[in-house]
Amino acid sequence: MLELHDLCKVYRTTNVETTALRDINLHIGKGEFIAIMGPSGCGKSTLLNVLGMLDTPSSGHYQFQDQTVSGRSEGDLASLRKARVGFIFQSFNLIDELTVRENVELPLLYQKIPASQRKDRVEQVMDRVAIAHRADHRPQQLSGGQQQRVAVARAVVTQPALILADEPTGNLDTVNGEEVLGLLNELNGDGTTVVMVTHDPAHAEHATRVVNMLDGRILSENIHRGPSDSEANHVS
């Protein structure tokens, strides 16, 4: 599903050059649940941003569902993101002025989905993540766990092929964190590919494969359980 070959990302200012990703070679098959681990500053979030087409590589090759990403216009990348990628962030990134229902519906508005279809999809996904009873509340009226449920609902309402989760349990207590991981496991069980950045080895146990990074490089990959539709590659 995702193929990265010799991918590098370099940030340049007038006086400083910082290499965030170095020679990344990675295959992620359809239906896998990947956990990316490593110390702060090792390139985890940069890799996630490149996978989600929020950032572009400086060199190398990135292929998403048989489509070459490198060299495409920002308009093309935005269309691809909106249709096929869902994002879940540590800080939830909900819009305070909107209700739960409106936050979940927002990605469908960007896709110009008809109102009747939007209503059905929003209701279904809110029921799925057990947040429908808070549909008319605003984010500041919710607990952290409830806000992250809304963020999960917003990420999956477009029925994306790929979910990217950046420390999705980082602001949650143990119980709520496990509930969010359970939701990710359910979505993965339904065939959605999930890539999650985490610092927590226990949370990484939910993944089919763990990718360990250091200094912008992939050090190793470890299979925890069999990927659903693909074989995992190993980095020695």
Side-chain angles (χ1 to χ4, degrees):
M1 180 181 180
L2 307 178
E3 294 276 356
L4 287 77
H5 296 290
D6 299 326
L7 189 140
C8 297
K9 177 63 183 179
V10 180
Y11 295 101
R12 293 183 176 90
T13 64
T14 304
N15 299 315
V16 179
E17 180 175 289
T18 303
T19 301
L21 297 175
R22 303 168 184 267
D23 303 321
I24 298 294
N25 290 282
L26 182 65
H27 167 80
I28 298 175
K30 182 180 182 297
E32 282 200 88
F33 187 157
I34 304 296
I36 302 175
M37 299 192 70
S40 296
C42 73
K44 302 187 300 297
S45 293
T46 301
L47 178 56
L48 209 68
N49 287 339
V50 169
L51 292 174
M53 293 167 281
L54 294 173
D55 205 347
T56 55
S58 302
S59 62
H61 180 75
Y62 175 28
Q63 195 162 342
F64 181 97
Q65 289 188 317
D66 298 323
Q67 296 191 48
T68 298
V69 172
S70 306
R72 296 178 75 120
S73 70
E74 179 51 40
D76 285 346
L77 294 178
S79 297
L80 202 54
R81 275 197 307 270
K82 287 188 290 186
R84 305 191 191 181
V85 184
F87 296 90
I88 304 171
F89 303 96
Q90 178 177 347
S91 55
F92 316 136
N93 286 7
L94 303 177
I95 299 175
D96 289 337
E97 293 76 19
L98 301 182
T99 65
V100 166
R101 180 182 282 108
E102 290 166 341
N103 267 283
V104 176
E105 183 184 26
L106 196 58
L108 300 179
L109 290 171
Y110 292 146
Q111 288 190 2
K112 300 181 180 179
I113 303 294
S116 60
Q117 292 183 34
R118 293 201 308 268
K119 183 177 184 297
D120 289 344
R121 281 212 215 172
V122 170
E123 295 297 331
Q124 289 172 8
V125 76
M126 286 193 305
D127 283 338
R128 181 170 190 178
V129 303
I131 201 65
H133 63 296
R134 295 285 193 173
D136 296 319
H137 289 70
R138 299 188 189 279
Q140 61 266 32
Q141 297 173 298
L142 307 178
S143 68
Q146 289 170 334
Q147 289 186 62
Q148 195 60 294
R149 285 176 177 273
V150 178
V152 172
R154 182 185 57 189
V156 303
V157 73
T158 59
Q159 300 170 350
L162 172 67
I163 291 178
L164 300 176
D166 195 356
E167 296 283 358
T169 62
N171 286 332
L172 303 178
D173 60 29
T174 302
V175 172
N176 283 306
E178 285 297 326
E179 288 181 355
V180 168
L181 287 167
L183 289 171
L184 292 177
N185 280 126
E186 286 181 21
L187 294 166
N188 179 244
D190 291 340
T192 304
T193 305
V194 177
V195 180
M196 175 180 70
V197 165
T198 183
H199 283 98
D200 192 328
H203 293 170
E205 290 290 336
H206 288 260
T208 56
R209 182 159 48 114
V210 177
V211 174
N212 297 291
M213 296 187 66
L214 183 67
D215 296 334
R217 300 180 186 274
I218 293 177
L219 292 184
S220 64
E221 301 179 42
N222 304 301
I223 294 178
H224 280 181
R225 50 191 171 90
S228 32
D229 292 316
S230 63
E231 293 183 2
N233 292 343
H234 293 277
V235 176
S236 57

